[in-house]
Amino acid sequence: MVCRKPIVIAIDGAARQLVEEARAGLFASPENPSELVDAIQSLVQSETLQKELGENGYQFATKNF
């Protein structure tokens, strides 16, 4: 998160909760390749979304860790 890069996460549980709480990335259901592709394409197609999620992650990490 401190690298200001958006996260695409395809695992459930605590890691997903952390990414969602930080609003630092996109979730794809585990073992669902089409959702993973959609999440990646969303980021590739939107520089604004990349920057927003990356900055959210950075702010969350610096405040909480």
Side-chain angles (χ1 to χ4, degrees), residues 1 5-6 10 18-20 22 28-29 40 51 53 57-58 63:
M1 287 187 203
K5 300 294 181 190
L18 179 65
V19 171
E20 288 181 343
S29 298
I40 293 168
K51 289 180 180 180
L53 296 175
Y58 176 80
K63 289 178 185 173

Side-chain angles (χ1 to χ4, degrees), residues 8-13 16 20 26-40:
V8 175
I9 190 162
I11 57 172
D12 226 339
R16 176 185 178 185
E20 288 181 343
L26 302 174
F27 172 75
S29 298
E31 299 184 36
N32 188 330
S34 63
E35 282 188 24
L36 184 59
V37 169
D38 290 345
I40 293 168

